[in-house]
């Protein structure tokens, strides 16, 4: 079953607790939490203290996406805050193998994310070590952007590599996913669909989730 991961970046932060409760009650699979530092991406969001309060009010797994420079410095903070899945960017890590091993040693699922201009082949020497790969289908930094069509080919290429090597690595797709393209994105080979603006911009999270389950069946 393809997993649905609403990105709280598009939630109403004034009512964040209620938003988390409502999305959780709708039956989503994980919360995607976007961490931005104003350096790696031209935007800033939240830090570990917000992740830890979200953790306190939900049992839904937390998928923390670090769009920050030098992520090694902050891994412990986000692990302590309650990340169940933790993603670093390929482009932000000098010693990616070490970073991935560290996350896994802490019993957290380790993800590596690729910007739209980074080819899938760059993962050749690390793919066996990661639990999941995040294909960015927009340039990271903002919610509500349009899905970059070439991302579909990247997902297909990655899916083939994973299959050929007999791995169980999951593919997560992040950016511009909505009910209209969810079927195509899943058919290309994704296992987890992040959905920010399309999810939290909808009026009724439960009926949207139900509709997505039907689309993705
Ligand atoms: C973009 C973030 C995404 C974003 C997705 O930099 O990594 O997770 O919240 O939002 P939508 O679904 O609106 O593109
Ligand atoms: Zn994200």
């Amino acid at each position: 079953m393809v997993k649905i991961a609403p990105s709280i970046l598009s939630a109403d932060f004034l009512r964040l607790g209620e938003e988390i409760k409502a999305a959780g009650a709708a039956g989503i699979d994980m919360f995607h939490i976007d961490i931005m530092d104003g350096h790696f991406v031209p935007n800033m969001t939240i830090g570990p203290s917000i992740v830890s309060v979200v953790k306190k009010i939900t049992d839904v797994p937390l998928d923390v996406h670090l769009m920050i420079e030098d992520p090694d410095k902050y891994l412990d903070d986000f692990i302590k805050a309650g990340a169940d899945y933790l993603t670093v960017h390929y482009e932000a890590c000098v010693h990616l193998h070490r970073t991935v091993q560290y996350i896994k040693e802490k019993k957290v699922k380790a993800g590596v994310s690729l910007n739209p201009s980074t080819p899938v082949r760059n993962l050749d020497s690390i793919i066996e070590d990661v639990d999941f790969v995040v294909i960015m289908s927009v340039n990271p930094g903002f919610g509500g952007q349009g899905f970059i069509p070439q991302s579909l080919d990247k997902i297909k290429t990655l899916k083939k590599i994973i299959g050929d090597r007999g791995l169980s690595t999951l593919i997560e797709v992040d950016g511009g996913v909505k009910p209209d393209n969810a079927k195509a994105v899943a058919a290309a080979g994704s296992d987890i669909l992040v959905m920010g603006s399309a999810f939290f911009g909808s009026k009724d999270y439960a009926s949207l989730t139900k509709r997505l389950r039907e689309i993705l069946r």
Side-chain angles (χ1 to χ4, degrees):
M1 190 187 73
V2 176
K3 289 184 169 22
I4 302 168
S7 163
I8 67 165
L9 183 63
S10 293
D12 178 352
F13 270 66
L14 265 183
R15 300 172 37 255
L16 187 56
E18 291 164 49
E19 294 273 70
I20 297 285
K21 289 256 155 74
I28 54 104
D29 300 295
M30 55 177 83
F31 283 108
H32 183 84
I33 306 183
D34 288 308
I35 311 297
M36 306 185 187
D37 66 352
H39 291 274
F40 182 70
V41 289
N43 194 8
M44 286 188 239
T45 56
I46 57 171
S49 58
I50 302 288
V51 176
S52 68
V53 293
V54 170
K55 188 71 183 176
K56 285 195 186 113
I57 62 157
T58 184
D59 293 332
V60 175
L62 303 185
D63 169 34
V64 175
H65 179 191
L66 299 181
M67 285 162 279
I68 63 176
E69 278 177 9
D70 207 356
D72 293 325
K73 265 191 200 162
Y74 301 97
L75 297 176
D76 283 336
D77 293 340
F78 286 101
I79 291 167
K80 236 182 263 158
D84 299 284
Y85 294 71
L86 187 56
T87 299
V88 294
H89 264 261
Y90 171 86
E91 302 83 4
C93 294
V94 180
H95 302 290
L96 184 58
H97 182 269
R98 180 185 290 149
T99 305
V100 164
Q101 300 308 329
Y102 186 82
I103 296 171
K104 293 202 307 182
E105 271 166 29
K106 301 288 170 177
K107 308 283 177 246
V108 171
K109 300 279 182 210
V112 171
S113 183
L114 298 182
N115 279 340
S117 64
T118 305
V120 160
R121 65 169 180 273
N122 288 24
L123 293 175
D124 259 9
S125 307
I126 191 78
I127 187 80
E128 318 241 338
D129 294 282
V130 301
D131 294 303
F132 64 111
V133 174
V134 181
I135 298 284
M136 290 307 301
S137 38
V138 298
N139 286 293
F142 302 93
Q145 304 180 79
F147 184 89
I148 297 174
Q150 295 92 307
S151 313
L152 287 179
D153 280 340
K154 284 179 79 173
I155 301 164
K156 288 179 194 159
T157 306
L158 178 59
K159 190 73 179 179
K160 185 168 182 322
I161 293 169
I162 291 169
D164 288 350
R165 295 215 199 169
L167 302 172
S168 52
T169 322
L170 299 178
I171 303 179
E172 177 171 321
V173 179
D174 185 10
V177 179
K178 31 182 71 62
D180 288 357
N181 61 12
K183 181 106 195 162
V185 177
S190 15
D191 304 287
I192 303 166
L193 300 182
V194 176
M195 199 177 286
S197 51
F199 188 91
F200 285 102
S202 78
K203 288 208 178 70
D204 180 346
Y205 305 155
S207 63
L208 174 64
T209 305
K210 195 164 162 246
R211 195 171 138 221
L212 288 167
R213 296 277 183 227
E214 277 155 20
I215 291 171
L216 297 169
R217 210 167 29 200

